[in-house]
Amino acid sequence: MTLKSDVSITSAESAKRVSDEALTPVPMEERQHWIIPAMIFGGLEFSIPVLLTGAVLATHFGITKVFWILFGTLFVIQWFGNAVMGYMGAKTGVSSSVIARSSFGHVQARWIIGLITFFVGLGWWALQTAVTGEAIAAMLGVDYQNNFLMLALITTVCGLIFAIPSVLGYASMKWTDIVAVPAGLLLIVTGIYLVMKNGGWNSVMSWNPTPGITVLAAISLILGMNVSQWVGVQDYTRYAKPKIKDNILIPLGIVGVGFPLFLVGAIMSVGAGEADIVQIMMGLGFPVWGFLILWLSTWTSQIVNSYSMGLSMANMLNINSGKGRALLTLLGIILGLGLALGGVLHFFEDFLYVSGVIYGPIAGVMLADFFFIRKQSYIDNPGWNWVATFAMGIGVILAYWTQYVQEMGIPAVQSLIISAALYWVGMKVKRNIKPDQFTEVKEPEPQAVK
């Protein structure tokens, strides 16, 4: 069965189509202006882990160095990765876990890739819910370090409220981002103001700690925060038009929000003298509404995390209905609450590095298949492609080795390149020795874009 982005859907078929289906290509009449997915990605980047990562960077480098590390990582590596990988979703109209079927095969994409994307999304959701629970508890004057029952209640309420738009679906998500992103900008301005009020710009610029990590390790830390987007970006760009210009502009949401937020996290950390974002805000004297804005801004990224969890589970279980996706999203949220209350926040930095180790190789295989093997078309391949398994496995081993054993380069990037090259070569060899459905290539049909 071949699915392409130019799937022809009649009015009658469109009328029958259940809103926000997990596996069916989004028809052209439902595609939106590039600003909508860009806003959703801006909301995704408006998250507490971004502030936390910026704060961690400030414990190792001065603000000027942090600025240039962020600039190079986000405006070069991250923008390019999001634009290229996002184009796959716009071209095919399907989610990331479905696109993976073309290279990995139906079975492997459902159970291996689906599980990986689900558990990483689950981890992000649990991390952010945990720290939001602590922030709201602090705002209410609760000693969250010694009153677990009250913290658990507050965290659970925050998590359930986070869940509502993602359970309802894509259409409700964009409105949350439109409201929350401007509110988050107010949080940034307030943070800078309080730092200037308490210590002044000179104290920020004179900050010069002894680095505990290398610049390349810092880049890996930032990419660990964002590299999962290279595999999940298609969940939202499937609602965008398959225009090159649009997909180049969509990452503006990530970079435009992420760059200042990482930097503000670093500046606030210098002003408060530590990296715990809740303690930073309390130390700087944030008013009550500042904690409320933090919660609202976190809501936007939580929506994306939980929505992607539901899509991954729907792919694993082969459930295509909007109702089924909503129920699976809710199930993921319940599991995430369990992790949030179980202390997942203590593993924040390790989680970032693990994300970089896993997602780079997956993205490399998907990229090579889509652009170099399939010529920008998509095939829902049955079975299990062992070439993809091998390429991904070598990439993961390489990323792990260069991250934890012999620190070298940028693991997420080099593992992506190696996995893509191994997959491309492996598929060429397979086509000559033992061709199968994975080596069959069909030319994509021309598509008219309005």
Side-chain angles (χ1 to χ4, degrees):
M1 177 181 179
T2 302
L3 298 177
K4 300 184 188 298
S5 58
D6 56 337
V7 172
S8 176
I9 298 181
T10 65
S11 299
E13 290 171 329
S14 181
K16 293 178 183 178
R17 186 176 184 272
V18 180
S19 177
D20 212 13
E21 292 174 348
L23 307 181
T24 307
V26 175
M28 274 301 155
E29 58 267 28
E30 293 186 19
R31 303 298 183 94
Q32 300 173 344
H33 194 279
W34 68 267
I35 289 178
I36 300 300
M39 286 290 288
I40 288 178
F41 279 119
L44 168 64
E45 198 72 358
F46 247 123
S47 65
I48 294 172
V50 171
L51 287 169
L52 279 171
T53 304
V56 169
L57 291 174
T59 64
H60 298 286
F61 305 101
I63 293 300
T64 301
K65 201 161 191 177
V66 169
F67 176 93
W68 288 113
I69 290 171
L70 289 170
F71 186 90
T73 306
L74 295 174
F75 281 88
V76 180
I77 301 174
Q78 190 62 40
W79 195 314
F80 180 80
N82 273 72
V84 172
M85 298 303 293
Y87 180 72
M88 294 165 60
K91 187 71 174 178
T92 62
V94 296
S95 64
S96 59
S97 53
V98 178
I99 291 174
R101 295 180 180 185
S102 187
S103 51
F104 288 92
H106 193 107
V107 177
Q108 186 173 196
R110 284 177 62 187
W111 295 108
I112 304 300
I113 309 305
L115 278 173
I116 289 172
T117 55
F118 168 73
F119 279 115
V120 174
L122 179 69
W124 278 122
W125 194 91
L127 279 167
Q128 296 199 77
T129 300
V131 76
T132 303
E134 291 184 0
I136 299 301
M139 182 193 75
L140 297 175
V142 174
D143 182 4
Y144 60 86
Q145 294 178 336
N146 298 305
N147 191 342
F148 176 77
L149 289 179
M150 185 58 69
L151 174 63
L153 176 61
I154 293 170
T155 302
T156 301
V157 171
C158 288
L160 293 176
I161 294 175
F162 283 153
I164 294 172
S166 57
V167 171
L168 293 177
Y170 184 91
S172 67
M173 293 163 58
K174 62 184 179 183
W175 298 112
T176 310
D177 291 306
I178 289 171
V179 172
V181 170
L185 292 172
L186 181 60
L187 183 72
I188 289 176
V189 172
T190 304
I192 294 176
Y193 168 75
L194 291 175
V195 169
M196 297 302 102
K197 179 182 177 182
N198 292 341
W201 187 246
N202 288 335
S203 65
V204 173
M205 295 305 297
S206 61
W207 176 254
N208 189 30
T210 301
I213 60 174
T214 65
V215 170
L216 291 178
I219 293 172
S220 294
L221 196 66
I222 299 166
L223 288 179
M225 174 71 224
N226 281 337
V227 73
S228 60
Q229 296 164 10
W230 294 352
V231 177
V233 63
Q234 302 88 359
D235 295 348
Y236 308 95
T237 56
R238 66 190 181 124
Y239 282 93
K241 296 175 182 177
K243 295 180 179 179
I244 293 177
K245 182 197 74 173
D246 284 16
N247 288 274
I248 289 175
L249 291 172
I250 286 173
L252 180 62
I254 291 287
V255 176
V257 171
F259 182 75
L261 202 63
F262 275 114
L263 197 58
V264 165
I267 292 172
M268 287 169 58
S269 175
V270 172
E274 61 175 285
D276 184 323
I277 192 61
V278 175
Q279 296 301 319
I280 286 173
M281 292 180 68
M282 293 175 66
L284 291 176
F286 260 83
V288 170
W289 58 260
F291 287 91
L292 290 174
I293 288 178
L294 182 68
W295 172 76
L296 180 61
S297 300
T298 302
W299 196 2
T300 62
S301 56
Q302 289 296 74
I303 291 169
V304 175
N305 287 326
S306 52
Y307 182 75
S308 291
M309 278 195 294
L311 286 177
S312 295
M313 291 181 72
N315 180 46
M316 283 188 289
L317 302 175
N318 207 32
I319 294 175
N320 191 38
S321 68
K323 182 178 180 180
R325 179 208 56 78
L327 291 174
L328 291 173
T329 302
L330 183 59
L331 175 61
I333 285 163
I334 294 171
L335 293 174
L337 278 172
L339 283 178
L341 298 175
V344 69
L345 192 57
H346 298 299
F347 305 97
F348 174 66
E349 286 190 52
D350 289 335
F351 185 76
L352 291 185
Y353 286 128
V354 168
S355 293
V357 166
I358 294 174
Y359 273 103
I362 296 175
V365 171
M366 293 172 63
L367 182 150
D369 184 82
F370 181 79
F371 287 101
F372 303 117
I373 303 296
R374 224 61 64 184
K375 308 299 182 184
Q376 300 186 31
S377 63
Y378 163 74
I379 297 177
D380 190 353
N381 277 317
W384 186 299
N385 187 3
W386 288 101
V387 173
T389 309
F390 172 77
M392 178 184 68
I394 295 298
V396 169
I397 293 171
L398 173 69
Y400 179 86
W401 181 269
T402 55
Q403 183 69 68
Y404 295 106
V405 180
Q406 181 65 52
E407 187 176 312
M408 180 176 62
I410 306 172
V413 175
Q414 57 211 26
S415 63
L416 181 151
I417 295 171
I418 292 297
S419 292
L422 286 175
Y423 180 80
W424 182 76
V425 172
M427 291 297 288
K428 292 288 186 183
V429 173
K430 186 177 186 180
R431 183 180 300 167
N432 292 329
I433 297 176
K434 192 177 181 180
D436 59 10
Q437 72 272 21
F438 292 103
T439 60
E440 181 183 359
V441 178
K442 296 181 179 180
E443 291 296 326
E445 299 173 10
Q447 173 178 316
V449 179
K450 295 180 180 179

